[in-house]
Amino acid sequence: MSTSATPSRPAVAEEEPFVLFHERHSARIYTLNRPSKLNALSHGMVQLLHKQIRAWDDSELCKVIIGTGKGQFCAGGDVA
């Protein structure tokens, strides 16, 4: 009896977004998620942050916005 094994392919890891958004009670939290670049802000990240912070600012439920970063907080703007 012959069996042929199908080679398993490595799972393709989904790339996490560069900015993560969370809500906890009345707090709204964003996490910069680009640790390999010291969380340097790209233009796209700034656009995401601006849109979400505006929405949170308009919400009656949001009392505080907290910024965090994976690893470092933020090295500044991405000039590369």
Side-chain angles (χ1 to χ4, degrees):
M1 184 157 121
S2 166
T3 39
S4 68
T6 305
S8 61
R9 294 185 302 191
V12 176
E14 281 190 35
E15 211 174 292
E16 283 192 47
F18 290 146
V19 183
L20 305 171
F21 299 99
H22 307 280
E23 297 180 0
R24 179 175 254 48
H25 306 290
S26 62
R28 304 300 182 255
I29 304 160
Y30 69 84
T31 304
L32 303 178
N33 187 30
R34 213 173 149 210
S36 65
K37 300 286 186 181
L38 302 175
N39 293 322
L41 292 170
S42 68
H43 182 71
M45 291 170 73
V46 171
Q47 288 179 319
L48 286 171
L49 283 165
H50 183 262
K51 180 180 176 183
Q52 187 61 60
I53 290 172
R54 288 280 264 204
W56 284 341
D57 189 43
D58 292 340
S59 170
E60 294 283 327
L61 301 174
C62 177
K63 302 298 179 201
V64 63
I65 297 173
I66 302 167
T68 65
K70 283 199 174 181
Q72 310 284 332
F73 174 64
C74 180
D78 189 354
V79 295

